[in-house]
Amino acid sequence: MPLPSLPIKRPFPLFLLCCSTLVPAAAHAQGQGPEEAEAIEAMENQISRIQEQQLELQKDLMAMRRELAQHRAHLHLAHTATANESVTHDHPSSGHGPAGSRQLARTIGKPAPGPASHPHLYPGEVPTPTIGEDTPTYAAVVRHRDEDMVNRVADNNVGPHPRETAGAQAAGALGDHGVFHVGPVTVILGGFFDTSAVLENRHIASGTFNYWTAMPFPRSANYHENSFEGSPRYSRFSLMARANIDSHTTVSGFVETDFGAGAETTNPYESNAYVPRLRQAYLSYDDTQDGNHLLVGQAWSLLTPGRVGIVARQESLPETIESSMLAGQTWTRQWQARFVHDMLHHRLWLGLSIENPATIYDTTGFDNDNGSVALPNGGTATIGANGTGLTEFTTIYSDEIAPDVIGKVAWDPAWGHYEAEGIVRFPHDRVFANGTGHNNTAIAGGGGASAVLPVIPHRVEIHLSGLAGVGVGRYGSVLLPDVTLNAQGKPKPLPDAQATAGIVAHPNQRIDVYGYYGMQRSGRSYFSSGGSAYGYGNPMSSNAGCEVEMSPLACTASIRSVQEFTVGAWWRFLQGRYGTVEVGTQLAYSRLQTWKGIGGAPSTSVSQIFFDFRYLPFQ
């Protein structure tokens, strides 16, 4: 709903001017005493303040009119660029159409005319008003955002996230209600208050964040115990500051946080004092006329599948309640410097990003002392070091020589969204043996693709994504290892494949239903020396103790694959000017399989039911 307009009545300043002139004159003429003079002086001061406020309102109105003029010029350029296209766009029957079609289907001060009266507009889009025709509203001033505008111009029948949905919130979608103006800068609030819980038939102690690599085997008592845990720690808050440089160029900053981190003092017995964590924090520069977009900071990796173009906060993420999303989902949130160029009227997108590397090493069979790994030939391989200063001192930070390099191409025809991407990585360590040391660098990487298929536009979507290569395990939700070490201590990238498939339906504006399958698999690399087994998935490693409760035998259990099947739904049972209140539930089943070793190839599984209540005040 648009915020109330601020009408400016021209006779009002004239009335104030007359009052400020006549009242002192009348008082002088009547010869009032001291008390009456003080009262008149107070009245004059009050009138003066009102006049100052009126001047400020007039200044605000002029600023709003200038901004509207810039938006009109911007939309005119976009409409001119697409005037020769003969693409037919279906009018969405639900509330899940192109960005802003639900929130912005209003003109400034009067009902929105249909496409017939404005043939150059797409269904649901509204014309920019002529300056001076109507009184502008705050909603009209902020309705134009670059990421929404380019999505409407290149409508692919998928469109940006419906902002109330869980997938939108996972990507950091912004709201429409919490909008403020600080001079020429628009400040937009987003986020939600969340309380979620999970009931599962294994005790994993990770809450609603699935940590699949910690799934217990029958050897552990946790395998035989049910577990219930609830928490509001994934409540999320975001803020965006955005300003127009000119009619087609903007600069913005975005920050997002929740309470998903645990400090050393965090415990579930007394205060449940989970601490704030940084989810996203970046600045971006967008030129929609030349099609250039720059993003620097911590954001979703360029490898993360998207819904439309290559646009921040339009990542294609599962609607699930579990905060780890889905086994096999490709993603990270990390530092990056990304450049994107779009062409063909915002339909073809090319992106290149350098991103923060963080290699996950497997050192099964080795003696690993905080990143210093003893080799069977007597040497030592250094793969990382414990954090210090402001980093986490119990975490090993891997040695890295260069950032990960990621490229992506995205295509938005009239139906569907399609992507292809590739990555190159450089795992790096140092080996000291026989009195000399030397550095080692391996080349790793892979490629993938994703698609969003609008089976029934804005009602039913099929989501597909996948990534395969060597040394890319960290980009999957399961967090399988990227590399192990060979006999000489050099990094040995491990094969990895991750994929998801899902269907999301919006039967009406208040209900979302989804079902997903996700999978991540890892290959193996190993060697044996002196009767000992080293490396990942070594068939000489012992799995003999995995399936016997409290067994004293070893349980190496190198993970071969993790699969997840899940279904769920969200119901927005309250919606209005006060925001949105929704409830969700999800059923999930995950199964873990291991590489065969001495004693077999044990497996384990977990069944879960999730619950969630969420209040989105800005949606």
Side-chain angles (χ1 to χ4, degrees):
M1 295 289 292
L3 297 178
S5 60
L6 299 175
I8 307 300
K9 305 295 186 182
R10 292 187 178 180
F12 189 51
L14 181 60
F15 169 76
L16 292 178
L17 180 61
C18 293
C19 289
S20 63
T21 304
L22 294 177
V23 171
H28 178 73
Q30 296 176 7
Q32 300 292 344
E35 294 182 359
E36 289 81 4
E38 291 178 1
I40 291 173
E41 183 179 359
M43 182 179 295
E44 290 177 342
N45 292 336
Q46 183 176 3
I47 292 174
S48 178
R49 288 194 296 270
I50 293 175
Q51 288 176 321
E52 292 175 356
Q53 293 174 0
Q54 181 67 13
L55 289 174
E56 290 298 320
L57 287 173
Q58 289 176 328
K59 291 179 181 179
D60 289 344
L61 178 59
M62 293 300 296
M64 293 164 71
R65 285 177 171 173
R66 285 195 299 268
E67 187 171 358
L68 281 170
Q70 293 174 350
H71 296 337
R72 182 178 61 175
H74 193 170
L75 287 178
H76 176 72
L77 291 173
H79 295 152
T80 301
T82 56
N84 295 326
E85 291 189 358
S86 58
V87 180
T88 301
H89 297 271
D90 295 331
H91 193 293
S93 58
S94 72
H96 300 280
S101 63
R102 287 170 294 140
Q103 297 91 350
L104 308 176
R106 297 177 176 84
T107 59
I108 309 305
K110 57 185 177 182
S117 60
H118 291 273
H120 63 284
L121 297 180
Y122 294 110
E125 190 175 356
V126 297
T128 301
T130 301
I131 300 303
E133 286 187 352
D134 296 286
T135 301
T137 65
Y138 281 113
V141 172
V142 302
R143 76 174 185 86
H144 167 66
R145 301 173 188 165
D146 275 2
E147 65 270 22
D148 292 344
M149 193 281 291
V150 297
N151 296 338
R152 290 200 304 273
V153 171
D155 183 18
N156 58 8
N157 278 307
V158 176
H161 279 290
R163 286 182 174 147
E164 303 89 346
T165 63
Q169 293 304 315
L174 294 163
D176 294 302
H177 297 350
V179 178
F180 306 91
H181 298 276
V182 183
V185 177
T186 299
V187 177
I188 308 170
L189 303 180
F192 51 81
F193 299 89
D194 179 272
T195 179
S196 58
V198 59
L199 175 64
E200 53 195 2
N201 67 335
R202 314 279 186 238
H203 185 197
I204 304 178
S206 63
T208 58
F209 184 93
N210 259 336
Y211 198 63
W212 288 277
T213 58
M215 288 170 58
F217 290 90
R219 167 186 182 163
S220 171
N222 294 336
Y223 176 89
H224 307 279
E225 297 178 308
N226 292 341
S227 176
F228 175 87
E229 184 177 347
S231 176
R233 62 189 297 199
Y234 294 109
S235 297
R236 188 176 309 164
F237 305 100
S238 66
L239 181 148
M240 179 178 180
R242 181 180 182 277
N244 293 329
I245 298 174
D246 54 38
S247 61
H248 55 79
T249 308
T250 62
V251 62
S252 60
F254 180 75
V255 64
E256 181 183 64
T257 183
D258 64 11
F259 302 89
E264 293 296 320
T265 56
T266 298
N267 69 75
Y269 303 108
E270 185 181 35
S271 62
N272 288 276
Y274 294 99
V275 297
R277 67 171 179 170
L278 182 66
R279 287 177 57 87
Q280 299 188 77
Y282 58 82
L283 62 90
S284 61
Y285 169 90
D286 296 280
D287 183 341
T288 55
Q289 184 179 45
D290 294 335
N292 295 324
H293 312 270
L294 176 67
L295 183 149
V296 181
Q298 179 163 309
W300 294 91
S301 169
L302 190 62
L303 278 183
T304 309
R307 293 178 59 85
V308 56
I310 303 178
V311 180
R313 300 180 304 282
Q314 292 302 334
E315 291 79 15
S316 177
L317 300 174
E319 305 278 323
T320 53
I321 296 173
E322 58 184 290
S323 54
S324 50
M325 294 186 290
L326 180 70
Q329 180 69 33
T330 299
W331 69 279
T332 59
R333 288 190 304 270
Q334 59 191 11
W335 178 91
Q336 60 193 271
R338 175 198 301 183
F339 176 77
V340 175
H341 180 69
D342 73 78
M343 59 190 75
L344 301 181
H345 309 306
H346 311 297
R347 292 191 179 277
L348 179 64
W349 300 68
L350 305 175
L352 181 66
S353 180
I354 58 171
E355 304 192 7
N356 195 60
T359 302
I360 301 177
Y361 280 87
D362 171 76
T363 56
T364 301
F366 297 91
D367 182 13
N368 185 355
D369 183 14
N370 296 325
S372 181
V373 181
L375 302 175
N377 61 7
T380 300
T382 301
I383 61 175
N386 286 105
T388 185
L390 296 181
T391 54
E392 176 54 51
F393 64 88
T394 60
T395 299
I396 298 176
Y397 291 80
S398 59
D399 290 340
E400 303 292 349
I401 193 172
D404 294 351
V405 181
I406 301 171
K408 173 183 281 190
V409 56
W411 172 240
D412 289 297
W415 190 86
H417 173 76
Y418 309 91
E419 297 181 348
E421 58 270 340
I423 178 174
V424 180
R425 309 193 63 208
F426 309 93
H428 181 79
D429 73 355
R430 181 172 178 82
V431 173
F432 183 85
N434 302 318
T436 61
H438 58 277
N439 297 337
N440 303 290
T441 302
I443 304 297
S450 66
V452 181
L453 310 176
V455 178
I456 303 177
H458 313 294
R459 285 296 186 94
V460 180
E461 301 171 354
I462 292 178
H463 295 244
L464 304 171
S465 68
L467 177 71
V470 294
V472 296
R474 68 170 289 236
Y475 283 93
S477 286
V478 180
L479 287 178
L480 293 178
D482 296 311
V483 303
T484 186
L485 299 177
N486 64 14
Q488 292 74 41
K490 298 178 180 180
K492 180 67 175 178
L494 293 168
D496 183 273
Q498 48 201 256
T500 62
I503 184 169
V504 180
H506 311 290
N508 57 52
Q509 191 173 352
R510 292 182 177 268
I511 296 177
D512 301 326
V513 182
Y514 59 83
Y516 293 99
Y517 166 76
M519 173 276 299
Q520 186 170 358
R521 298 176 62 90
S522 177
R524 54 183 177 173
S525 178
Y526 54 86
F527 67 94
S528 297
S529 178
S532 297
Y534 299 89
Y536 194 77
N538 195 318
M540 300 305 296
S541 296
S542 176
N543 294 332
C546 293
E547 301 196 86
V548 179
E549 187 172 2
M550 306 303 290
S551 172
L553 301 176
C555 179
T556 304
S558 295
I559 297 175
R560 181 176 184 175
S561 69
V562 173
Q563 302 176 77
E564 181 181 10
F565 302 86
T566 187
V567 295
W570 290 91
W571 174 36
R572 291 178 280 280
F573 59 93
L574 290 175
Q575 278 186 302
R577 294 177 61 87
Y578 47 79
T580 299
V581 183
E582 60 187 11
V583 60
T585 187
Q586 175 190 349
L587 300 174
Y589 172 79
S590 298
R591 184 168 183 82
L592 182 153
Q593 295 178 304
T594 65
W595 285 105
K596 186 176 181 179
I598 297 175
S603 63
T604 184
S605 63
V606 61
S607 298
Q608 301 166 301
I609 180 170
F610 297 84
F611 309 93
D612 199 312
F613 282 90
R614 185 171 291 175
Y615 171 45
L616 296 82
F618 309 115
Q619 264 82 29

